[in-house]
Amino acid sequence: MHTTVATETGDDQPCCEPGGLPVLNAAQAHDAARILKALSDPNRLRLLSIVKAGDGGKACVCDLTEPLDLGQPTVSHHLKILVDAGLLEREKRGTWAYYSLVPGALERAASLITQL
């Protein structure tokens, strides 16, 4: 949960009134950093955009390498980071993998910044 921070002086009096605004605890900051790091790469932003614009909000991995002009291993690496961050979900269909946005993931990512 959120906590407040107050700095105290030697005479048990707070040096200033706490603002009362919530602050991130260590676990929340770690989770937020994981998501924001995933979003900090231009290729991953493009992948999210391509998947979101795909037919039905999904895209096959086979359709993701050409637009980025990257090799399949590099694209797979970026997709794994996005899945691990909870932004994309992966569905296996035969030999192909299809990716879609996790519902509400982009809104949650945006709120990480606005709630600071």
Side-chain angles (χ1 to χ4, degrees):
M1 289 296 171
H2 297 293
T3 59
T4 57
V5 177
T7 306
E8 294 188 13
T9 61
D11 60 0
D12 293 333
Q13 296 280 336
C15 73
C16 57
E17 289 294 318
L21 296 175
V23 299
L24 294 176
N25 65 35
Q28 292 168 322
H30 178 72
D31 290 341
R34 181 177 46 85
I35 293 167
L36 295 174
K37 283 180 184 178
L39 293 171
S40 69
D41 183 276
N43 290 313
R44 292 193 284 266
L45 290 175
R46 291 186 65 205
L47 283 168
L48 286 171
S49 175
I50 293 166
V51 169
K52 185 177 178 183
D55 187 28
K58 295 185 179 196
C60 177
V61 70
C62 63
D63 297 325
L64 298 174
T65 54
E66 186 179 326
L68 271 64
D69 196 28
L70 296 173
Q72 183 272 326
T74 303
V75 171
S76 292
H77 169 74
H78 287 304
L79 290 168
K80 181 180 181 336
I81 291 171
L82 292 168
V83 169
D84 290 347
L87 297 165
L88 288 181
E89 51 193 10
R90 181 179 185 264
E91 176 188 350
K92 186 87 165 155
R93 295 185 194 167
T95 58
W96 296 108
Y98 285 78
Y99 291 86
S100 59
L101 287 173
V102 171
L106 295 179
E107 293 78 9
R108 284 190 299 275
S111 74
L112 291 173
I113 296 168
T114 58
Q115 291 179 3
L116 289 177

